[in-house]
Short mmCIF file of all heavy atoms in Angstrom, two decimals:
data_model
loop_
_atom_site.label_atom_id
_atom_site.label_comp_id
_atom_site.label_asym_id
_atom_site.label_seq_id
_atom_site.Cartn_x
_atom_site.Cartn_y
_atom_site.Cartn_z
N LYS S 1 3.51 53.89 -87.51
CA LYS S 1 3.12 53.00 -88.55
C LYS S 1 2.79 51.58 -88.03
O LYS S 1 2.02 50.81 -88.52
CB LYS S 1 4.17 52.96 -89.57
CG LYS S 1 4.33 54.21 -90.51
CD LYS S 1 5.26 54.08 -91.48
CE LYS S 1 5.40 55.29 -92.33
NZ LYS S 1 6.48 55.21 -93.40
N ASN S 2 3.38 51.16 -86.90
CA ASN S 2 3.19 50.00 -86.31
C ASN S 2 2.82 50.02 -84.78
O ASN S 2 3.54 49.66 -83.95
CB ASN S 2 4.47 49.07 -86.39
CG ASN S 2 5.04 48.96 -87.78
OD1 ASN S 2 4.59 48.15 -88.62
ND2 ASN S 2 5.87 49.91 -88.13
N PRO S 3 1.50 50.46 -84.56
CA PRO S 3 1.11 50.77 -83.15
C PRO S 3 1.02 49.49 -82.34
O PRO S 3 1.02 49.42 -81.10
CB PRO S 3 -0.19 51.38 -83.31
CG PRO S 3 -0.70 50.98 -84.69
CD PRO S 3 0.51 50.86 -85.49
N GLU S 4 0.84 48.31 -82.91
CA GLU S 4 0.75 47.02 -82.26
C GLU S 4 1.91 46.16 -82.05
O GLU S 4 1.98 45.13 -81.52
CB GLU S 4 -0.39 46.13 -82.93
CG GLU S 4 -1.81 46.80 -82.96
CD GLU S 4 -2.79 46.11 -83.58
OE1 GLU S 4 -2.42 44.96 -84.14
OE2 GLU S 4 -3.99 46.42 -83.62
N ALA S 5 3.03 46.84 -82.62
CA ALA S 5 4.25 46.01 -82.67
C ALA S 5 4.87 46.02 -81.28
O ALA S 5 4.74 46.92 -80.42
CB ALA S 5 5.29 46.69 -83.65
N SER S 6 5.55 44.81 -80.95
CA SER S 6 6.28 44.75 -79.63
C SER S 6 7.54 45.53 -79.68
O SER S 6 8.02 45.89 -80.70
CB SER S 6 6.47 43.43 -79.22
OG SER S 6 7.41 42.78 -80.18
N LEU S 7 8.20 45.62 -78.54
CA LEU S 7 9.55 46.23 -78.64
C LEU S 7 10.54 45.50 -79.40
O LEU S 7 11.42 46.03 -80.06
CB LEU S 7 10.06 46.44 -77.18
CG LEU S 7 9.31 47.36 -76.22
CD1 LEU S 7 10.08 47.51 -74.77
CD2 LEU S 7 9.13 48.76 -76.85
N SER S 8 10.47 44.15 -79.24
CA SER S 8 11.43 43.31 -80.03
C SER S 8 11.07 43.48 -81.62
O SER S 8 12.04 43.45 -82.42
CB SER S 8 11.10 41.80 -79.68
OG SER S 8 11.29 41.62 -78.31
N ASP S 9 9.83 43.60 -81.90
CA ASP S 9 9.51 43.89 -83.35
C ASP S 9 10.12 45.23 -83.83
O ASP S 9 10.77 45.28 -84.96
CB ASP S 9 8.08 43.87 -83.61
CG ASP S 9 7.40 42.54 -83.30
OD1 ASP S 9 8.12 41.58 -83.51
OD2 ASP S 9 6.17 42.51 -83.13
N LEU S 10 9.98 46.13 -83.04
CA LEU S 10 10.49 47.55 -83.31
C LEU S 10 12.07 47.53 -83.39
O LEU S 10 12.70 48.10 -84.26
CB LEU S 10 10.16 48.60 -82.30
CG LEU S 10 8.69 48.93 -82.23
CD1 LEU S 10 8.39 49.86 -81.07
CD2 LEU S 10 8.15 49.51 -83.47
N ALA S 11 12.62 46.77 -82.58
CA ALA S 11 14.06 46.63 -82.56
C ALA S 11 14.61 45.85 -83.89
O ALA S 11 15.54 46.35 -84.41
CB ALA S 11 14.57 45.72 -81.32
N GLU S 12 13.84 44.94 -84.31
CA GLU S 12 14.17 44.27 -85.59
C GLU S 12 13.92 45.13 -86.79
O GLU S 12 14.82 45.22 -87.84
CB GLU S 12 13.36 43.01 -85.74
CG GLU S 12 13.66 42.17 -87.01
CD GLU S 12 12.89 40.94 -87.06
OE1 GLU S 12 12.14 40.63 -86.00
OE2 GLU S 12 12.94 40.17 -88.02
N MET S 13 12.97 46.04 -86.73
CA MET S 13 12.78 46.89 -87.87
C MET S 13 13.78 48.04 -87.95
O MET S 13 14.16 48.48 -89.04
CB MET S 13 11.36 47.64 -87.63
CG MET S 13 10.10 46.75 -87.79
SD MET S 13 8.59 47.50 -87.34
CE MET S 13 7.37 46.29 -87.17
N LEU S 14 14.25 48.42 -86.73
CA LEU S 14 15.27 49.51 -86.70
C LEU S 14 16.76 49.02 -86.72
O LEU S 14 17.57 49.77 -86.61
CB LEU S 14 15.02 50.38 -85.44
CG LEU S 14 13.62 51.17 -85.41
CD1 LEU S 14 13.46 51.72 -84.06
CD2 LEU S 14 13.72 52.24 -86.51
N SER S 15 16.90 47.61 -86.63
CA SER S 15 18.24 47.08 -86.54
C SER S 15 18.96 47.52 -85.25
O SER S 15 20.14 47.92 -85.35
CB SER S 15 19.08 47.31 -87.90
OG SER S 15 18.32 46.85 -88.97
N ILE S 16 18.26 47.61 -84.18
CA ILE S 16 18.98 47.92 -82.91
C ILE S 16 18.48 46.97 -81.97
O ILE S 16 17.65 46.05 -82.15
CB ILE S 16 18.69 49.38 -82.48
CG1 ILE S 16 17.14 49.64 -82.29
CG2 ILE S 16 19.23 50.49 -83.54
CD1 ILE S 16 16.84 50.98 -81.82
N SER S 17 19.03 47.06 -80.74
CA SER S 17 18.56 46.15 -79.69
C SER S 17 17.39 46.59 -78.94
O SER S 17 16.89 47.76 -79.19
CB SER S 17 19.77 46.09 -78.53
OG SER S 17 19.81 47.36 -77.89
N ARG S 18 16.79 45.60 -78.30
CA ARG S 18 15.35 45.98 -77.63
C ARG S 18 15.63 46.97 -76.64
O ARG S 18 14.82 47.94 -76.43
CB ARG S 18 14.87 44.61 -76.99
CG ARG S 18 13.50 44.83 -76.49
CD ARG S 18 13.06 43.53 -75.90
NE ARG S 18 11.71 43.44 -75.34
CZ ARG S 18 11.44 43.88 -74.06
NH1 ARG S 18 12.41 44.46 -73.43
NH2 ARG S 18 10.19 43.87 -73.64
N SER S 19 16.67 46.87 -75.79
CA SER S 19 17.02 47.91 -74.85
C SER S 19 17.21 49.31 -75.44
O SER S 19 16.84 50.21 -74.81
CB SER S 19 18.24 47.38 -73.92
OG SER S 19 19.34 47.45 -74.82
N GLY S 20 17.73 49.30 -76.60
CA GLY S 20 18.00 50.57 -77.29
C GLY S 20 16.68 51.23 -77.62
O GLY S 20 16.50 52.40 -77.51
N VAL S 21 15.74 50.42 -78.14
CA VAL S 21 14.39 50.94 -78.44
C VAL S 21 13.67 51.39 -77.19
O VAL S 21 13.12 52.59 -77.12
CB VAL S 21 13.51 49.85 -79.02
CG1 VAL S 21 12.07 50.35 -79.18
CG2 VAL S 21 14.03 49.43 -80.49
N ASN S 22 13.77 50.70 -76.04
CA ASN S 22 13.18 51.04 -74.91
C ASN S 22 13.75 52.34 -74.36
O ASN S 22 13.06 53.28 -73.77
CB ASN S 22 13.41 49.94 -73.85
CG ASN S 22 12.63 50.17 -72.54
OD1 ASN S 22 11.48 50.55 -72.53
ND2 ASN S 22 13.17 49.96 -71.34
N HIS S 23 15.05 52.54 -74.43
CA HIS S 23 15.66 53.76 -73.97
C HIS S 23 15.26 54.97 -74.87
O HIS S 23 15.07 55.96 -74.22
CB HIS S 23 17.26 53.65 -74.16
CG HIS S 23 18.13 54.91 -73.79
ND1 HIS S 23 18.11 55.34 -72.52
CD2 HIS S 23 18.76 55.75 -74.63
CE1 HIS S 23 18.87 56.49 -72.52
NE2 HIS S 23 19.27 56.71 -73.82
N ARG S 24 15.16 54.83 -76.06
CA ARG S 24 14.64 55.87 -76.92
C ARG S 24 13.19 56.36 -76.69
O ARG S 24 12.85 57.53 -76.57
CB ARG S 24 14.83 55.60 -78.47
CG ARG S 24 16.23 55.35 -78.82
CD ARG S 24 16.49 55.08 -80.38
NE ARG S 24 17.81 54.70 -80.62
CZ ARG S 24 18.28 54.40 -81.82
NH1 ARG S 24 17.46 54.41 -82.87
NH2 ARG S 24 19.54 54.22 -81.96
N LEU S 25 12.36 55.29 -76.40
CA LEU S 25 10.95 55.55 -76.03
C LEU S 25 10.89 56.35 -74.74
O LEU S 25 9.91 57.11 -74.51
CB LEU S 25 10.21 54.27 -75.93
CG LEU S 25 9.92 53.49 -77.32
CD1 LEU S 25 9.28 52.22 -77.18
CD2 LEU S 25 8.91 54.42 -78.13
N ARG S 26 11.81 55.97 -73.79
CA ARG S 26 11.77 56.66 -72.51
C ARG S 26 12.17 58.21 -72.67
O ARG S 26 11.57 59.06 -72.01
CB ARG S 26 12.76 56.05 -71.54
CG ARG S 26 12.26 54.72 -70.97
CD ARG S 26 13.30 54.11 -70.00
NE ARG S 26 12.88 52.90 -69.44
CZ ARG S 26 13.47 52.04 -68.60
NH1 ARG S 26 14.76 52.53 -68.29
NH2 ARG S 26 13.09 51.07 -68.08
N ARG S 27 13.10 58.44 -73.58
CA ARG S 27 13.51 59.92 -73.91
C ARG S 27 12.29 60.68 -74.45
O ARG S 27 11.95 61.81 -74.08
CB ARG S 27 14.61 59.81 -74.85
CG ARG S 27 15.91 59.42 -74.25
CD ARG S 27 17.07 59.15 -75.29
NE ARG S 27 17.32 60.27 -76.00
CZ ARG S 27 18.08 60.34 -77.10
NH1 ARG S 27 18.63 59.18 -77.48
NH2 ARG S 27 18.40 61.56 -77.78
#
């Protein structure tokens, strides 16, 4: 839904840390 969002933006949307978003994307 947000293809242009940064990792920080995604982290804010999901209420998790930026590193958490990065870890899930790697999985």
